[in-house]
Amino acid sequence: MNTPDPAILLKWYDRHARRLPWRVPPARSRKGERADPYHVWLSEVMLQQTTVAAVRPYFQKFLERWPRIHDLAAAELDEVLTVWAGLGYYARARNLHKCATIVVAEHGGLFPDTEDGLRALPGIGPYTAAAIASIAFDCHATPVDGNIERVMSRLYVVETPMPASKTALRELAADLTPASRPGDYVQAVMDLGATVCIPRSPRCAICPWRGSCGAFAIGMTDVLPRRTPKPERPLRRAVAYWMVRGDGAVLLRRRPESGLLGGMMEVPSGPWEEIEIFRDAAPVKADWVELPGLVEHGFTHLRLELKVKAARVDGRSKSDGVWVFVENFDEYALPTLTRKVVRHVLSHVGKGVAPS
Ligand code: SF4
C-alpha cells in the first residue's frame, strides 16, 4: 500500500476545489494570493457545528452589513445577535463580536498570523486557530474536524472507535500535512471529506487517494470510522407562557447571560427540568388556556419539550421583560426555539394572538 501523497490531493484540488465565498481559488493561491483573514475567521466561526449551505447566506449578510472588521467591532452586540439569529449557539456570536473589538483595539484590525496568537482571542479554539492560520496565512497547521477524522480513519484503517481515536487521527493528519501549500492542502482534505469521502457510501471510484486507502483495499470503507454509541440525551420539560396585554403586545424576556441561549429573547418559561409531568410555574394569575401539542427542540446535550399556555394578562402586573407586538418580533434576535414557540402559538390562536 502506498503512503497517501499530498501532491496527488493538491492536483485534485486544483481541478475540483469547491467555490466558496470566503476562499481564494487554487489558481490564485498558487501565485501567492491569500484569503482575507477577516473572511476566513468569520466563515470558520460560522461553520462550527453548521453546514456550508447554512452558512453561505449568513456570511453574505454579515459582509454586506460589516464589510471590514472595524465595522463589526463598531456594531451593537444586539444588532450582531439579530443578524446571527437562526445559526444557533449564540455564545459564538457574542465571542465573534468580542473578538472583533479586541482585534481592532489591540491588534490594529489585523489578525495574529500564528496559531498561538489566534488562540488567545475569544471564541477561537484549537481547530479554528489552525484553520485560520493555514487558510489565511499558509502556516503549517492542521485543523482536524469530523471530515478529516473520517478521511484519516479510512486511509489508515484506524479501528479504535471515536472519540477514543481522536488523538491518533490528529497525529496522522498532522504528519501528512506537507510543507508546500499547507493552506490549500488543508482545504483539499476538507473538500475530499465533504464531497468524496462522505459519511455513507463514500465515492471511492472518483477518489484521488484510492490507491493508497487502506479501507478501500480491504473493503472496510462503509464501517469506518467506528463510533462508541452516544448516550441518549436527557429530556427536559417546561411550560412556556404566552402573555398578551390588552393592546395585543406579547411579553418576551431575556434569558440569563450564562447558560443555554444566554442573553437571547424567549417566551417566558418555567425551569427546564428532567420531570415526567409538566410543572406549572405561571408567573402571573390569569385564565390560562393550554394549547394542544408540544414544541420540541434539540440542543447538543439535551432535548426539550415545551407545553405552551396562553392568556390575556394585565400588562402592569408584569415588568420582567418587554412587551412586543408580533409584527415587531423581527427587531429582536429570536433564537430558533423562540421562533418555534411563536409559530406554535400563532398556528393555534391565529392573528388573535391570545385565546378569546
Ligand atoms: Fe475515502 Fe474511499 Fe477515498 Fe478511501 S478511497 S479516502 S474511503 S473516498
Side-chain angles (χ1 to χ4, degrees):
M1 179 75 49
N2 303 325
T3 309
D5 183 353
I8 292 178
L9 190 67
L10 279 166
K11 222 183 241 177
W12 172 83
Y13 181 71
D14 286 342
R15 277 185 290 131
H16 299 286
R18 288 178 294 173
R19 296 279 180 259
L20 301 174
W22 46 87
R23 235 184 213 182
V24 167
R28 279 171 33 205
S29 84
R30 283 203 306 275
K31 291 180 192 149
E33 190 178 335
R34 304 305 320 160
D36 183 329
Y38 174 50
H39 296 182
V40 176
W41 163 73
L42 198 55
S43 65
E44 285 300 332
V45 174
M46 288 180 169
L47 282 165
Q48 293 165 6
Q49 321 264 353
T50 320
T51 62
V52 165
V55 162
R56 273 180 196 268
Y58 283 90
F59 179 80
Q60 302 290 20
K61 258 194 283 179
F62 265 69
L63 277 198
E64 276 160 25
R65 197 133 172 179
W66 302 295
R68 299 169 325 132
I69 192 161
H70 297 80
D71 306 315
L72 183 58
E76 291 294 329
L77 174 62
D78 256 1
E79 206 190 339
V80 175
L81 290 172
T82 304
V83 180
W84 183 275
L87 264 180
Y89 302 93
Y90 293 89
R92 284 189 289 145
R94 292 166 177 282
N95 277 331
L96 186 89
H97 185 249
K98 205 161 152 195
C99 182
T101 57
I102 292 175
V103 169
V104 168
E106 296 176 17
H107 300 273
L110 298 174
F111 278 89
D113 60 2
T114 63
E115 273 186 273
D116 285 348
L118 288 159
R119 279 196 66 176
L121 294 168
I124 300 189
Y127 172 82
T128 308
I132 300 170
S134 58
I135 298 170
F137 301 110
D138 215 19
C139 293
H140 189 263
T142 312
V144 181
D145 66 356
N147 277 339
I148 296 173
E149 285 168 347
R150 182 171 60 253
V151 174
M152 294 301 137
S153 78
R154 288 171 175 166
L155 278 179
Y156 293 103
V157 192
V158 176
E159 293 211 49
T160 310
M162 294 281 287
S165 55
K166 272 180 178 286
T167 306
L169 294 172
R170 198 175 309 126
E171 283 168 7
L172 289 168
D175 287 349
L176 199 51
T177 304
S180 161
R181 296 175 67 194
D184 278 352
Y185 168 79
V186 156
Q187 294 175 93
V189 189
M190 288 174 175
D191 282 13
L192 190 77
T195 63
V196 177
C197 196
I198 48 182
R200 287 197 197 135
S201 308
R203 304 164 70 201
C204 304
I206 57 163
C207 178
W209 269 348
R210 193 181 58 217
S212 49
C213 176
F216 179 76
I218 58 176
M220 284 185 70
T221 57
D222 276 333
V223 296
L224 293 175
R226 297 193 196 280
R227 292 183 190 283
T228 308
K230 280 192 186 161
E232 176 89 339
R233 286 176 300 169
L235 172 62
R236 294 196 190 165
R237 294 192 163 107
V239 180
Y241 298 93
W242 180 263
M243 288 174 259
V244 185
R245 203 168 58 176
D247 61 359
V250 175
L251 188 74
L252 295 180
R253 178 177 72 176
R254 197 175 286 282
R255 290 184 58 77
E257 290 297 325
S258 59
L260 279 169
L261 305 180
M264 305 305 295
M265 300 302 276
E266 67 166 2
V267 174
S269 64
W272 301 352
E273 300 171 305
E274 277 181 59
I275 43 178
E276 287 299 312
I277 297 168
F278 289 87
R279 192 158 68 83
D280 207 351
V284 292
K285 273 199 162 177
D287 292 331
W288 292 104
V289 174
E290 185 177 314
L291 303 184
L294 292 171
V295 174
E296 293 173 304
H297 191 69
F299 294 98
T300 320
H301 301 298
L302 64 94
R303 294 172 297 139
L304 179 69
E305 282 182 357
L306 291 179
K307 197 182 270 284
V308 184
K309 293 189 175 185
R312 293 197 175 273
V313 300
D314 177 353
R316 285 167 305 177
S317 64
K318 194 69 209 163
S319 58
D320 177 19
V322 285
W323 294 97
V324 186
F325 292 102
V326 170
E327 52 270 32
N328 296 335
F329 276 7
D330 280 349
E331 293 169 12
Y332 290 83
L334 299 187
T336 305
L337 172 62
T338 305
R339 288 170 192 267
K340 281 186 184 175
V341 173
V342 173
R343 275 202 302 274
H344 183 75
V345 173
L346 297 185
S347 74
H348 287 292
V349 301
K351 295 262 184 240
V353 298
S356 44

